[in-house]
């Protein structure tokens, strides 16, 4: 219609007369040709004497309407009526448009189509549907443009049933093979998550219309059916339809989503061959492909070759650098974007804010905030949300609250979710929960994102169950992201069965939810169930990724299940991820934990790229399996390669240094740790305390202990155990009391150190007191190590009979450690009869342990029973037990 209205004034007048004056008007109003000519020219000039780059305002439209009414010819000229209707639609005055339309005595199909498109343009989709129904009941046969408009209305209002009715009418009217109509129906289904129905519509007729191909391919991409989109593209390319820029944009998006860079390069070749490379949308899709697939250099190259760049292409390259965590380059491109005066939108701003969301970018972040205020983007809610997120990531929680407070009466649930997430990220769980509760007071109902953020940081299972009940009531529980947060919360609190119940209720489980549930089973030692879930995942045709396989390998590591680990390794090789960094590191850890360090080494050597985790896994694997020299060599190679060492690696190698007490390695490592700034880490501090203690430097251990600002339970325990091992029981007990005053609750390992300290100082009454305190004050049931410490305490004090009675009254069955401790006491005090009993019990419990035989042999040698010594050595030969040879650095 617009093309008809805006024709050049130089067209001949009889053409207008024939086109826009109904025959009825001519019959009823026999105007002479000259007056008709002048009238048409006047009407045409009224609608043509405007700047066409601007939309008409309601005031301008009503002025034109009044001028036409003066001529008293509005009812006689369908061109004027349609033009005026079009203007009312464009000026968003649909009420005036409808009143004018109702006054047209004989509306044409163009008139009806103007109303349909007008309602769509003004987002009044239900009214568009009503006018179509009225048009049909009035006896007008819709054309392809009518169907296109009503399909758009049904799509936007998600009226699938109405769309099906329209499609049936189109088929009845002979539009079955019309590509424009079928594309509308395909678009309706794909935009309402009914891709299978869209595919059936597409396949009903063999199609060579590029519009239909584009509709189904873009629909597949929209519904995350990326491989289907690629298959459709292959079919299209093999037929008679030539892909255009829209096709290439969609298919490049599919390659990007799949991470299929090589396939994307093939499509890029097609683009060059078809000459579609100059299309700005295609060029942007190519840049996006290379950027998101990790080839940022190629993305920059393609970006530089684009003849025309719009705001989307600039934002795409900036986002590419953000994804690569290259904030400096992202800001440089933003600076260039401003220099060339390119358009900047809110997506550009949010990308730059993400680039600034790092502690080291604090200065740039603070400078960027005033620019946003100056340019007016501060009024955009998405920009404010990104500002809150940025300040959260750099630890400026007060600035987060400032931005949030400046929003006033906030109704956007997304903003609340971002602020709750900011509190959670900065360990302010109380304030996050308080904000969550405030939403209800303000009359808001938290959505899945708000609930997910709170579930990630709650410290009370009861409160988590309350949120679970709310999600049931609000109908959110079936959402995949919220469901994943719920079952992860239950898993974190040890309620693995409740976790699995939530998982089963999620409708469309994605790869992340499957992986999270598998990881939950793995963390709780349910390896069989984790494997069963992995099989179900594969059966559901959801391909496990590196994260999934890493989770299942973690379970194999925890239970030292080498057979299952090998099965996963085989599957990883079969699907082509066996040498990937993430899986490779997990395999190295699994083989190390299963005491197969040779296999761990082979996996490590086969990895084309080795990261910090894989190096650390191998070093710790050697250390845990007693391969101390190999651990040191691997650590040295790691340093020579330039790989940054982390706390995990340092803690492992400090354990080796604690064993190699005479090498001076500990001092060298301590210097290296201080130089790299890792000495502030708690795990490293604890390892240093332990290392110095085992090396006999208890004073150095105390110095390290005093330099740690925030002590955790492991560090306190390491210091207590260190003092106990050095016979400084009183110092150990003083540290224990200081720990209690600091509000730190001991665990079972701490009490081993405390009881050991009592043993070294002969503090029998204190030992009984602390043993009783374990259960009474802290609810910790004593184990074999605690009872062995008490037996050692009584034995050192010469109270052997009391030690024997103590063993007889133990609530648990005494193990070999307890009897061997008593045997050692009998050896010191030369109690042959009790020693004979203890020896008998040790042999019954550990008949294959070389250490037990050595202890017995030494006992009989000390009391002069050489015949018994010979018997013990004969028994060792008979059972095949061998004593490991001793070694020394001296």
């Amino acid at each position: 219609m617009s093309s008809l209205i805006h024709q050049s004034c130089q067209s001949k007048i009889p053409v207008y007369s024939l086109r826009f004056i109904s025959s009825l008007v001519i019959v009823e109003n026999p105007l002479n040709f000259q007056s008709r000519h002048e009238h048409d020219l006047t009407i045409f000039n009224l609608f043509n004497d405007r700047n066409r780059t601007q939309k008409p305002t309601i005031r301008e439209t009503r002025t034109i309407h009044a001028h036409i009414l003066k001529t008293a010819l509005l009812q006689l000229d369908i061109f004027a009526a349609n033009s005026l209707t079009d203007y009312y639609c464009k000026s968003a005055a649909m009420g005036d448009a409808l009143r004018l339309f109702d006054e047209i005595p004989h509306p044409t199909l163009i008139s009806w189509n103007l109303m349909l498109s007008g309602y769509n343009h003004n987002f009044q989709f239900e009214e568009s549907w009503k006018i179509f129904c009225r048009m049909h009941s009035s006896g007008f046969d819709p054309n392809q443009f009518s169907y296109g408009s009503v399909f758009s209305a049904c799509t936007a209002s998600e009226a699938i049933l109405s769309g099906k009715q329209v499609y049936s009418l189109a088929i009845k009217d002979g539009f079955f093979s019309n590509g424009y109509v079928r594309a509308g129906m395909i678009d309706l289904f794909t935009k309402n998550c009914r891709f299978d129905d869209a595919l059936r519509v597409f396949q009903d007729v063999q199609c060579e219309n590029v519009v239909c191909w584009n509709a189904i391919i873009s629909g597949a991409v929209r519904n995350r059916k990326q491989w289907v989109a690629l298959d459709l593209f292959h079919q299209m390319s093999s037929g008679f339809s030539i892909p255009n820029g829209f096709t290439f944009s969609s298919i490049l998006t599919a390659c990007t989503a799949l991470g299929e860079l090589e396939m994307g390069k093939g499509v890029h070749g097609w683009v060059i061959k078809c000459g579609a490379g100059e299309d700005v949308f295609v060029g942007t899709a190519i840049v996006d492909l290379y950027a998101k697939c990790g080839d940022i250099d190629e993305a920059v190259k393609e970006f530089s070759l684009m003849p025309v760049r719009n705001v989307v292409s600039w934002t795409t390259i900036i986002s590419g650098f953000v994804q690569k965590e290259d904030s400096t380059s992202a800001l440089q491109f933003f600076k260039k974007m401003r220099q060339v005066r390119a358009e900047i939108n809110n997506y550009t701003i949010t990308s730059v804010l993400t680039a600034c969301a790092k502690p080291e970018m604090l200065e740039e972040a603070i400078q960027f905030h005033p620019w946003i205020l100056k340019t007016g983007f501060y009024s955009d809610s998405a920009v404010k949300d990104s500002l809150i997120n940025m300040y959260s990531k750099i630890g400026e929680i007060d600035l987060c609250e400032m931005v949030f407070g400046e929003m006033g009466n906030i109704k956007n649930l997304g903003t609340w979710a971002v602020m709750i997430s900011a509190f959670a990220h900065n360990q302010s769980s109380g304030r996050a929960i308080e904000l969550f509760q405030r939403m209800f007071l303000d009359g808001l109902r938290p959505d899945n994102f708000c609930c997910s953020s709170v579930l990630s940081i709650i410290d009370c299972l009861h409160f988590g169950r309350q949120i679970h009940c709310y999600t049931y009531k609000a109908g959110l529980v079936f959402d995949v992201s919220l469901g994943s947060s719920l079952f992860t919360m239950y898993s974190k609190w040890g309620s693995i069965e409740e976790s699995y119940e939530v998982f089963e209720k999620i409708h469309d489980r994605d790869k992340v939810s499957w992986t999270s549930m598998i990881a939950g089973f793995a963390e709780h030692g349910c390896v069989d169930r984790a494997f069963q879930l992995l099989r179900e995942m594969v059966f559901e045709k959801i391909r496990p990724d590196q994260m999934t396989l890493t989770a299942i390998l973690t379970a194999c590591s925890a239970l030292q299940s080498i057979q299952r680990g090998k099965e996963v390794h085989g599957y990883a090789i079969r699907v082509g991820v066996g040498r990937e960094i993430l899986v490779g590191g997990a395999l190295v850890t699994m083989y190390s934990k299963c005491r197969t360090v040779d296999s761990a080494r082979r996996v490590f050597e086969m990895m084309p790229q080795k990261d910090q985790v894989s190096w650390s896994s191998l070093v710790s694997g050697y250390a845990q399996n007693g391969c101390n020299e190999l651990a040191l060599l691997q650590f040295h190679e790691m340093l020579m390669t330039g790989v940054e060492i982390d706390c995990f690696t340092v803690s492992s190698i400090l354990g080796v240094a604690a064993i190699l007490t005479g090498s001076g390695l500990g001092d060298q490592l301590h210097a290296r740790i201080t130089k790299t700034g890792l000495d502030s880490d708690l795990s490293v501090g604890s390892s240093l305390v332990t290392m110095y203690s085992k090396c006999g430097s208890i004073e150095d251990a105390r110095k390290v202990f005093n330099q740690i600002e925030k002590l955790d339970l492991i560090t306190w325990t390491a210091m207590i155990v260190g003092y106990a091992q050095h016979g400084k029981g009183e110092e150990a007990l003083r540290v224990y009391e200081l720990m209690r005053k600091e509000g730190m609750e001991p665990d079972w390992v701490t009490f081993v150190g405390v009881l050991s300290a009592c043993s070294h100082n002969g503090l029998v009454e204190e030992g009984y007191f602390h043993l009783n305190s374990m259960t009474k004050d802290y609810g910790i049931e004593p184990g074999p190590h605690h009872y062995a410490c008490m037996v050692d305490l009584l034995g050192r004090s010469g109270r052997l009979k009391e030690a024997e009675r103590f063993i007889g009254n133990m609530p648990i069955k005494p193990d070999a450690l307890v009897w061997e401790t008593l045997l050692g006491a009998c050896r010191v005090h030369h109690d042959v009869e009790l020693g004979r009993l203890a020896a008998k019990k040790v042999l019954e419990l550990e008949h294959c342990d070389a250490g037990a035989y050595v202890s017995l042999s030494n006992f009989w040698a000390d009391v002069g029973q050489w015949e018994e010594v010979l018997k013990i050595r004969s028994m060792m030969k008979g059972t095949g037990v061998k004593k490991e040879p001793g070694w020394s650095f001296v």
Side-chain angles (χ1 to χ4, degrees):
M1 181 62 200
S2 296
S3 61
L4 295 176
I5 295 172
H6 302 150
Q7 287 183 27
S8 171
C9 292
Q10 295 177 356
S11 301
K12 295 182 180 179
I13 298 307
V15 174
Y16 286 99
S17 301
L18 291 171
R19 186 168 297 176
F20 298 112
I21 303 174
S22 68
S23 57
L24 180 62
V25 172
I26 295 173
V27 171
E28 293 181 356
N29 298 276
L31 300 174
N32 60 57
F33 181 80
Q34 183 62 31
S35 61
R36 186 75 239 173
H37 179 164
E38 293 174 356
H39 167 71
D40 285 343
L41 189 58
T42 301
I43 296 296
F44 180 80
N45 287 336
L46 280 173
F47 291 104
N48 198 56
D49 291 344
R50 294 188 71 259
N51 184 352
R52 292 293 162 224
T53 61
Q54 299 176 354
K55 291 199 306 183
T57 65
I58 182 63
R59 182 177 180 180
E60 290 172 334
T61 306
R62 284 174 177 166
T63 301
I64 295 173
H65 192 173
H67 184 83
I68 294 174
L69 286 173
K70 289 180 181 180
T71 64
L73 294 174
L74 181 62
Q75 299 294 324
L76 308 178
D77 199 310
I78 193 65
F79 167 72
N82 285 346
S83 299
L84 198 55
T85 301
D86 183 47
Y87 265 41
Y88 275 126
C89 291
K90 288 179 178 178
S91 58
M94 291 308 300
D96 291 329
L98 182 61
R99 282 191 291 272
L100 176 61
F101 175 79
D102 288 338
E103 292 174 3
I104 301 175
H106 300 288
T108 64
L109 186 57
I110 292 175
S111 309
W112 290 99
N113 285 346
L114 280 170
M115 289 302 297
L116 284 169
S117 62
Y119 278 124
N120 283 353
H121 180 75
N122 289 282
F123 307 105
Q124 298 180 34
F125 304 111
E126 290 185 6
E127 298 301 321
S128 181
W129 167 250
K130 290 177 183 178
I131 206 75
F132 179 82
C133 294
R134 181 178 159 189
M135 169 186 175
H136 181 253
S137 62
S138 298
F140 279 86
D141 293 328
N143 62 9
Q144 61 176 343
F145 303 109
S146 313
Y147 285 120
S149 293
V150 75
F151 276 132
S152 296
C154 292
T155 300
S157 58
E158 300 181 1
I160 296 176
L161 182 60
S162 300
K164 286 182 176 180
Q165 293 174 341
V166 174
Y167 189 57
S168 299
L169 181 63
I171 293 172
K172 181 182 176 182
D173 288 347
F175 287 94
F176 180 73
S177 59
N178 185 281
Y180 190 72
V181 173
R182 289 176 64 228
M185 192 63 194
I186 291 168
D187 198 46
L188 168 67
F189 279 133
T190 58
K191 287 183 177 177
N192 287 282
C193 303
R194 300 278 291 271
F195 180 74
D196 292 338
D197 291 331
L199 197 59
R200 278 192 287 273
V201 171
F202 176 76
Q203 293 172 342
D204 280 344
V205 178
Q206 187 173 0
C207 182
E208 295 179 5
N209 189 312
V210 70
V211 177
C212 287
W213 281 102
N214 286 343
I216 193 65
I217 289 173
S218 64
V221 174
R222 184 181 295 110
N223 285 270
R224 300 181 182 179
K225 308 282 187 181
Q226 319 296 354
W227 289 110
V228 176
L230 292 170
D231 183 58
L232 287 165
F233 177 70
H234 178 71
Q235 295 176 35
M236 180 183 184
S237 305
S238 303
F240 297 99
S241 297
I242 305 299
N244 60 15
F246 192 88
T247 321
F248 288 127
S249 297
S250 297
I251 212 64
L252 284 165
T253 301
C255 293
T256 303
L258 291 169
E260 290 286 345
L261 181 57
E262 292 305 316
M263 195 173 292
K265 287 180 178 179
V267 178
H268 188 182
W270 259 89
V271 170
I272 296 171
K273 182 179 178 181
C274 296
E278 294 187 359
D279 186 299
V280 65
F281 299 104
V282 175
T284 301
I286 291 170
V287 172
D288 194 44
L289 167 75
Y290 287 113
K292 288 185 177 174
C293 290
D295 194 348
I296 193 67
D297 293 334
E298 189 64 27
V300 173
K301 176 184 173 184
E302 292 300 323
F303 178 80
S304 64
L305 293 173
M306 290 178 68
V308 178
R309 306 182 189 106
N310 62 8
V311 61
V312 179
S313 50
W314 278 101
T315 304
T316 298
I317 194 67
I318 291 170
S319 300
F321 281 113
V322 173
Q323 181 181 310
K324 291 286 288 184
E325 297 188 358
D326 186 354
S327 300
T328 303
S329 297
L331 293 178
Q332 286 175 349
F333 268 83
F334 178 68
K335 184 178 180 181
K336 291 178 184 177
M337 185 180 184
R338 291 180 59 198
Q339 288 173 347
V340 299
R341 299 183 181 278
E343 179 191 354
I344 296 173
N345 62 16
N346 57 341
Y347 297 105
T348 318
I349 303 301
T350 54
S351 295
V352 176
L353 287 170
T354 305
C356 295
K358 293 180 180 180
E360 62 269 23
M361 302 295 289
L362 176 61
E363 185 178 347
E364 289 81 356
I366 293 175
Q367 290 176 354
F368 195 48
H369 192 164
W371 184 86
I372 293 173
L373 288 167
K374 182 180 178 181
T375 53
F377 283 104
Y378 195 66
S379 59
D380 188 280
S381 60
V383 172
K384 285 186 177 179
D385 291 349
S386 293
L387 267 171
I388 294 172
N389 180 65
M390 178 192 70
Y391 284 131
S392 168
K393 294 292 176 64
I394 60 180
E396 295 291 338
I397 194 66
D398 292 337
L399 291 176
C400 292
E401 289 191 273
M402 181 195 74
V403 176
F404 183 78
E406 289 176 351
M407 292 184 175
N409 187 17
I410 307 164
K411 297 298 181 182
N412 183 8
L413 293 177
T415 303
W416 287 87
V418 171
M419 193 63 225
I420 291 171
S421 178
F423 281 134
H425 180 76
N426 287 273
Q427 309 301 316
S428 301
S429 57
R431 294 166 79 181
I433 293 170
E434 182 183 337
L435 192 63
F436 181 74
Q437 293 170 333
R438 181 180 140 195
M439 292 183 70
F440 291 96
L441 297 176
D442 287 357
L444 297 172
R445 292 294 175 263
D447 61 3
N448 53 337
F449 299 108
C450 297
C451 294
S452 296
S453 296
V454 173
L455 286 168
S456 67
I457 46 91
I458 59 172
D459 53 5
C460 174
L461 182 58
H462 178 67
F463 184 56
R465 289 196 174 110
Q466 288 181 323
I467 296 177
H468 191 177
C469 292
Y470 165 74
T471 60
Y472 262 117
K473 184 178 179 181
L476 301 172
V477 72
F478 303 112
D479 178 78
V480 64
S481 63
L482 179 57
S484 297
S485 298
L486 274 169
F487 72 68
T488 300
M489 182 270 298
Y490 280 122
S491 176
K492 183 177 71 174
W493 285 97
S495 302
I496 194 67
E497 294 303 327
E498 288 181 280
S499 177
Y500 186 60
E501 287 176 11
V502 175
F503 172 78
E504 285 189 309
K505 288 182 172 65
I506 300 174
H507 289 164
D508 299 317
R509 289 172 285 199
D510 60 3
K511 194 176 293 184
V512 175
S513 56
W514 282 95
T515 300
S516 298
M517 193 66 243
I518 289 171
F521 279 136
E523 288 170 7
H524 288 82
C526 307
V527 180
D528 290 335
R529 298 182 71 177
F531 266 86
Q532 179 59 34
L533 208 60
L534 179 66
R535 294 188 190 97
E536 292 177 19
M537 182 180 181
V538 175
F539 182 76
E540 293 285 339
K541 296 183 179 180
I542 300 177
R543 179 177 170 180
D545 59 8
Q546 291 193 62
M547 294 296 294
T548 317
L549 297 179
T550 300
I552 206 79
L553 284 168
T554 301
C556 297
S557 300
L559 296 185
Q560 298 184 8
S561 178
I562 185 67
Q563 186 59 40
R564 292 285 181 84
K566 287 181 176 180
E567 291 176 14
V568 178
H569 191 179
Y571 178 81
I573 292 172
R574 190 163 67 252
V575 297
V577 296
R579 296 185 179 184
E580 295 295 327
I581 291 178
L582 200 60
V583 174
L587 283 167
V588 172
T589 301
M590 185 273 296
Y591 281 121
S592 298
K593 292 283 181 67
C594 294
R595 300 185 179 279
T596 315
V597 289
D598 290 338
S599 297
R601 179 74 193 189
R602 281 196 294 271
V603 171
F604 179 79
E605 289 177 343
M606 291 173 66
M607 292 172 63
Q609 292 182 325
K610 304 170 180 67
D611 65 348
Q612 186 185 61
V613 175
S614 55
W615 279 94
S616 297
S617 297
L618 189 59
V619 171
S620 63
Y622 280 139
Q624 290 164 6
N625 287 279
C627 305
N628 299 319
E629 291 185 3
L630 289 174
L632 286 173
L633 288 172
Q634 191 67 37
F635 180 70
H636 182 263
E637 186 179 347
M638 184 178 180
L639 294 176
M640 292 299 99
T641 311
V643 179
E644 183 180 352
I645 59 173
D646 60 2
C647 303
F648 184 71
T649 317
V650 168
S651 297
S652 298
I653 211 67
L654 283 172
V656 173
I659 297 170
L660 306 178
T661 55
S663 64
L665 177 63
D667 291 332
Q668 297 178 36
L669 284 171
H670 194 175
R672 179 82 185 194
I673 290 166
T674 304
K675 184 178 179 181
T676 54
L678 293 174
D679 52 335
S680 60
D681 183 83
L682 277 174
S683 63
V684 174
S686 300
S687 299
L688 279 169
V689 171
T690 303
M691 186 268 295
Y692 279 124
S693 298
K694 289 185 176 180
C695 291
S697 304
I698 192 64
E699 293 305 321
D700 288 330
R702 181 71 195 207
K703 287 178 183 177
V704 173
F705 179 81
N706 291 336
Q707 288 173 358
I708 300 174
E709 292 183 5
K710 294 183 180 180
L711 298 164
D712 64 352
L713 179 60
I714 296 173
T715 314
W716 283 104
T717 302
M719 196 67 243
I720 293 168
V721 171
Y723 272 131
Q725 289 172 345
H726 282 76
K728 297 180 180 291
E730 293 183 1
E731 287 86 344
L733 293 178
R734 276 199 293 269
V735 172
Y736 172 68
E737 290 302 323
L738 185 60
M739 182 188 87
R740 291 181 60 196
K741 288 180 181 178
E742 291 291 328
M744 189 73 65
E745 288 195 0
D747 63 0
W748 73 272
V749 182
T750 313
F751 277 108
V752 170
V754 170
L755 292 172
S756 179
C758 294
S759 174
H760 282 84
N761 277 50
L763 304 172
V764 177
E765 298 306 320
E766 286 83 351
Y768 276 119
F769 171 79
H770 290 298
L771 185 68
N772 294 328
S773 174
M774 286 180 64
T775 307
K776 181 181 177 182
D777 298 329
Y778 301 103
I780 303 171
E781 291 298 327
H785 285 82
H786 303 105
Y787 289 118
C789 286
M790 283 303 299
V791 171
D792 185 53
L793 170 58
L794 295 171
R796 285 173 183 263
S797 302
R799 298 157 72 166
L800 297 180
K801 293 298 180 182
E802 186 178 345
E804 184 183 7
R805 288 195 301 272
F806 180 84
I807 294 173
N809 294 326
M810 282 171 54
I812 62 174
K813 184 179 178 180
D815 64 356
L817 176 62
V818 172
W819 287 112
E820 198 168 339
T821 303
L822 181 60
L823 178 62
C826 293
R827 176 185 171 189
V828 172
H829 295 284
H830 303 287
D831 190 330
V832 178
E833 292 304 318
L834 188 55
R836 193 183 301 276
L837 172 65
K840 180 182 176 182
K841 294 290 185 180
V842 170
L843 285 180
E844 287 176 359
L845 294 168
E846 289 192 352
H847 61 278
C848 294
D849 183 63
Y853 285 98
V854 172
S855 296
L856 289 172
S857 177
N858 291 339
F859 171 74
W860 292 123
D862 285 347
V863 296
Q865 298 286 337
W866 297 106
E867 291 180 1
E868 295 292 338
V869 173
L870 292 174
K871 286 181 182 180
I872 294 296
R873 292 186 177 181
S874 178
M875 289 171 64
M876 289 180 68
K877 290 179 181 179
T879 55
V881 176
K882 293 183 179 180
K883 176 184 178 295
E884 290 187 10
W887 57 276
S888 172
F889 278 107
V890 181

